[in-house]
Amino acid sequence: MSTGLQAKPTLAQPSGSIVIVGAGPAGLSAAAQAAELGASVILIDEAQRPGGQIYRQPPQSLNAPAIGTPGELARKQRVLERFERLRSRIDYRPDTAAIAYYPGHQLLLANSTRSELLQAGGVIVATGLSELTIPFPGWTLPGITTAGALQALLKSAGVRAGERVVLVGTGPLLIAVAAQLVQAGATVLAVALLHPLRQVFNNPAFAWQGREVLADGLRYLTVLRRAGVPVLDGFIPVRAEGDGEVRQIVLARRDDQGRPVPGSERHFAVDSVGLNYGFNANSELLRMAGAEVAFDALRGGWLARRDESGATSVPGLFVAGDSAGLRGALAASVDGTVVGAAAAGWVLHQNASSFASVTASHAKERARHWRFQDALAPLFALPPGVWSWATPETLICRCESVRREHIDRALDDGHQSLNGVKRNCRAGMGFCGGRNCLRTVVALVDERRAPTHSEGAAVVAPLVPLSPMHARPGIRLATLAALANRTGDDA
């Protein structure tokens, strides 16, 4: 896939160099493994300290309390300690973003003061996920954010964003965040789940594979039970209300299609709401590099096709962890180890399988965690009616202030591709690059593309998944000063 721009040739880094983008559990494990095997590793991350979202660390100057169960904190410690043991062999660059990917494994990086065009023998993308939200009336009011953002504030600064909180969405993250908020002193009024968590046990054998995670979940549920927090199964948001900030969230039972059941509304006076309806893989760099992708709604949208070693369709380009599809932190850590060994084999010997025996046990452990995630996957299935929550006046694209009626008008005019909608009404053209609105736009376009059936009509084959919006240079924010102060080439 063309990026629309071409970088100038640069001097290559040493022959064994790997650039790893992302310092979460996958990126940290990949960096440690590749360094152990003799590769020259450059690890970049946007945060000040390593750990990613799940293993987020507060600034060293801030004495913030540790957030998590004993099991979670122990796993976090193991990953961070392994990285620290090998840190002297790794060129670690915090506060640095990858904003473009050019042919020949050239990455344009930027921090607050300068940018650099860096070339490597191989690249591992370990950029993780962003949270999926579903628009409904009032969802953009101040005080409403993602569940992960509420957790990030707790982990990075020891701050609880609100005193009276409701968590709305699906999946186990909501339970964890709700319990952590309770432990931080907040009043959690309710956790409203699209699907009941007991669905995990529809496949007991697969559920048992994730017993460590289930134990953490039971601890969090115990915290909620002791605090008297109701967990409402099958409830969805109807609207949020407030004058300048959220003051009330209205929930209702859902029907089989995901629409609210009239007469089942429940009202909660709040000052904070956390949303999460799944995740989107941060695959922009991969798509910009030309990697083949396929759409998987349960795992995070457009995912790069990869083999067991993490190799994509682009030679020397690898993907690890949740940026290859939602699988959880435990799987991400061991997957990073497997992919780090494969990338080291590629840059050192042009053979991704050369170190496979070193990580055979990790590959086996990864398979166990993947089976558990297969048990969790049904929790993230979204019935078609959820996309009807947005009224014509509801904002869909927050960056460009695009309401549903603007997108509907573009569809009425025949723009039934994602790039067509983007050009016509600017949805997805803002600084987030569509990460927040793209899946909603997909659903609205697919609704128009779906064939209509007359009575007795033949069954029509499923729709061919839409191609994603083009990924262009500038996928992360960078200052003009940093772009002007550029090193690494003749620019």
Side-chain angles (χ1 to χ4, degrees), residues 65-276:
I67 303 295
T69 67
E72 289 174 326
L73 295 176
R75 293 191 291 271
K76 172 182 177 178
Q77 191 67 20
R78 285 196 297 271
V79 171
L80 292 173
E81 284 181 351
R82 185 187 183 198
F83 170 69
E84 291 297 335
R85 286 196 302 270
L86 292 150
R87 189 165 179 167
S88 62
R89 303 189 209 173
I90 297 167
D91 181 358
Y92 170 53
R93 305 185 187 184
D95 293 314
T96 302
I99 61 176
Y101 197 123
Y102 298 107
H105 300 316
Q106 297 181 88
L107 283 168
L108 182 58
L109 313 178
N111 58 26
S112 60
T113 60
R114 69 183 185 94
S115 56
E116 178 181 4
L117 188 64
L118 188 67
Q119 186 171 24
V123 173
I124 300 175
V125 175
T127 46
L129 302 156
S130 53
E131 290 180 90
L132 173 62
T133 54
I134 299 176
F136 60 91
W139 76 291
T140 58
L141 280 170
I144 300 180
T145 185
T146 65
L150 295 177
Q151 186 185 60
L153 282 170
L154 280 176
K155 289 183 175 182
S156 64
V159 172
R160 61 177 187 268
E163 300 299 323
R164 296 174 59 82
V165 188
V166 167
L167 282 299
V168 185
T170 191
L173 176 64
L174 295 178
I175 299 298
V177 174
Q180 290 163 1
L181 285 168
V182 167
Q183 292 171 328
T187 299
V188 177
L189 302 174
V191 180
L193 298 176
L194 185 68
H195 301 292
L197 292 175
R198 61 179 176 273
Q199 285 189 357
V200 173
F201 297 100
N202 290 344
N203 190 331
F206 279 16
W208 176 247
Q209 304 299 308
R211 48 196 175 273
E212 307 101 315
V213 177
L214 290 177
D216 293 333
L218 290 174
R219 285 178 178 268
Y220 284 134
L221 284 170
T222 299
V223 170
L224 297 184
R225 190 177 301 113
R226 288 173 176 170
V229 177
V231 177
L232 308 176
D233 292 335
F235 273 76
I236 59 174
V238 176
R239 64 185 179 276
E241 300 170 340
D243 183 11
E245 58 185 304
V246 65
R247 292 300 184 191
Q248 180 171 252
I249 180 82
V250 180
L251 307 177
R253 291 192 180 276
R254 71 171 182 89
D255 62 18
D256 290 342
Q257 294 298 305
R259 297 182 176 89
V261 175
S264 65
E265 290 83 2
R266 296 184 62 171
H267 299 245
F268 296 87
V270 297
D271 57 15
S272 181
V273 175
L275 307 173
N276 180 288

Side-chain angles (χ1 to χ4, degrees), residues 408-420:
D408 287 338
R409 192 176 306 132
L411 296 174
D412 290 340
D413 291 340
H415 302 282
Q416 294 193 5
S417 70
L418 297 183
N419 285 318

